[in-house]
């Protein structure tokens, strides 16, 4: 198994079941801009309204086979393990996330969170959701605001260097030099990203 980030915008996602897992998955895919269809027997009215406002469409069980055929990814998240298995087998040619049996899944939806422009995903192989939460807290305590500003500054530098330097290896050398520039890091520590950009602009113009 390997880790991937998939652009789910405008992809068709089917969520079957709206327990805690189905709701979490539904929210995540709606927030990425996916076309989310939901099959459920029972859902909290407030959550249903939230999903509809975000673009989700609700169906009953009679549409299940049709929805599986047209979707790109299926999330089987009912409380009935046998039904989840049946859905996963029907969707074998699709991307499948089976909440009750990882062996029926070819896609894992890990614990994911953002710190500024950094996206972090954690997966413990279903061994310990508790440790995934603990590791999340550790990572959140390690990544600082300075790190986030450095990412923004590096993006700015890369954009400028692409107009000046053709070879990626040469651009990488300048990126490294400017990252380790003492004045750059002083400005970052002072939370002065604007002046840091002006400073690197001056250096790159001379190249």
């Amino acid at each position: 198994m390997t880790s991937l980030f998939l652009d789910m915008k405008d992809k068709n996602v089917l969520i079957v079941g709206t327990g805690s897992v189905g709701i979490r998955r539904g929210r995540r895919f709606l927030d990425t801009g996916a076309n989310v269809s939901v099959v459920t027997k029972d859902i909290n009215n407030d959550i249903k309204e939230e999903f509809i406002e975000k673009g989700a469409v609700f169906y009953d069980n009679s549409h299940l086979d049709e929805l599986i055929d047209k979707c790109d990814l299926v999330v089987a998240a009912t409380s009935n393990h046998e039904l989840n298995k049946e859905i996963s087998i029907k969707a074998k040619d699709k991307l499948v996330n089976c909440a009750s049996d990882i062996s029926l899944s070819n896609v894992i939806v890990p614990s994911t969170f953002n710190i500024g422009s950094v996206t972090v995903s954690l997966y413990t192989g279903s061994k310990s959701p508790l440790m995934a939460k603990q590791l999340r807290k550790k990572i959140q305590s390690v990544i600082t605001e300075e790190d986030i500003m450095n990412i923004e500054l590096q993006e700015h530098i890369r954009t400028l260097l692409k107009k000046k330097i053709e070879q990626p290896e040469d651009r990488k050398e300048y990126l490294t030099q400017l990252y380790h520039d003492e004045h750059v890091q002083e400005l970052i520590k002072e939370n002065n990203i604007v002046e840091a950009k002006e400073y690197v602009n001056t250096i790159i113009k001379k190249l």
Side-chain angles (χ1 to χ4, degrees):
M1 189 172 291
T2 187
S3 298
L4 295 172
F5 280 90
L6 297 177
D7 182 2
M8 296 303 296
K9 182 175 174 57
D10 296 326
K11 296 294 189 299
N12 296 320
V13 176
L14 172 61
I15 308 289
V16 187
T18 50
S20 59
V21 174
I23 290 170
R24 286 200 306 272
R25 301 284 192 271
R27 283 185 174 131
R28 178 174 299 190
F29 289 117
L30 285 167
D31 289 343
T32 64
N35 303 316
V36 175
S37 300
V38 182
V39 173
T40 184
K41 290 182 178 179
D42 184 33
I43 185 171
N44 177 278
N45 283 334
D46 290 340
I47 294 174
K48 185 173 183 178
E49 288 180 9
E50 171 198 339
F51 274 35
I52 291 173
E53 285 179 6
K54 291 181 176 180
V57 181
F58 284 79
Y59 297 88
D60 59 37
N61 284 339
S62 65
H63 294 85
L64 187 56
D65 289 348
E66 173 191 343
L67 291 167
I68 289 174
D69 284 341
K70 76 174 187 178
C71 76
D72 299 299
L73 184 150
V74 177
V75 176
T78 76
S79 58
N80 185 326
H81 292 192
E82 286 302 314
L83 178 57
N84 289 343
K85 181 178 180 179
E86 179 184 336
I87 292 167
S88 300
I89 291 171
K90 280 185 179 181
K92 63 182 179 180
D93 295 328
K94 310 285 184 176
L95 297 175
V96 179
N97 175 244
C98 181
S100 57
D101 188 345
I102 189 174
S103 70
L104 296 172
S105 303
N106 55 27
V107 170
I108 303 301
V109 184
S111 170
T112 301
F113 58 97
N114 295 311
I115 305 175
S117 58
V118 177
T119 300
V120 181
S121 291
L122 286 170
Y123 178 56
T124 61
S126 297
K127 295 175 182 177
S128 177
L130 173 62
M131 281 308 301
K133 290 181 181 179
Q134 296 304 312
L135 290 171
R136 172 176 178 159
K137 291 177 182 178
K138 286 186 178 182
I139 293 170
Q140 287 175 316
S141 69
V142 169
I143 297 177
T144 66
E145 186 63 31
E146 290 177 16
D147 295 322
I148 304 304
M149 283 191 287
N150 267 307
I151 291 171
E152 181 181 341
L153 184 60
Q154 285 279 300
E155 179 188 29
H156 177 72
I157 295 169
R158 286 181 74 238
T159 301
L160 296 177
L161 288 176
K162 283 180 179 179
K163 298 175 183 178
K164 289 269 190 176
I165 300 173
E166 183 176 344
Q167 295 300 320
E169 295 81 5
D170 296 333
R171 292 200 296 267
K172 181 178 179 180
E173 184 177 340
Y174 280 107
L175 282 163
T176 303
Q177 288 178 5
L178 288 170
Y179 172 74
H180 290 291
D181 185 290
E182 290 185 3
H183 187 55
V184 166
Q185 291 309 316
E186 285 176 6
L187 292 170
I188 291 294
K189 287 178 181 178
E190 294 169 1
N191 199 29
N192 196 340
I193 187 70
V194 174
E195 192 170 331
K197 287 181 178 179
E198 291 175 355
Y199 174 71
V200 299
N201 287 350
T202 302
I203 294 174
I204 294 172
K205 281 181 182 178
K206 296 177 182 179
L207 296 179

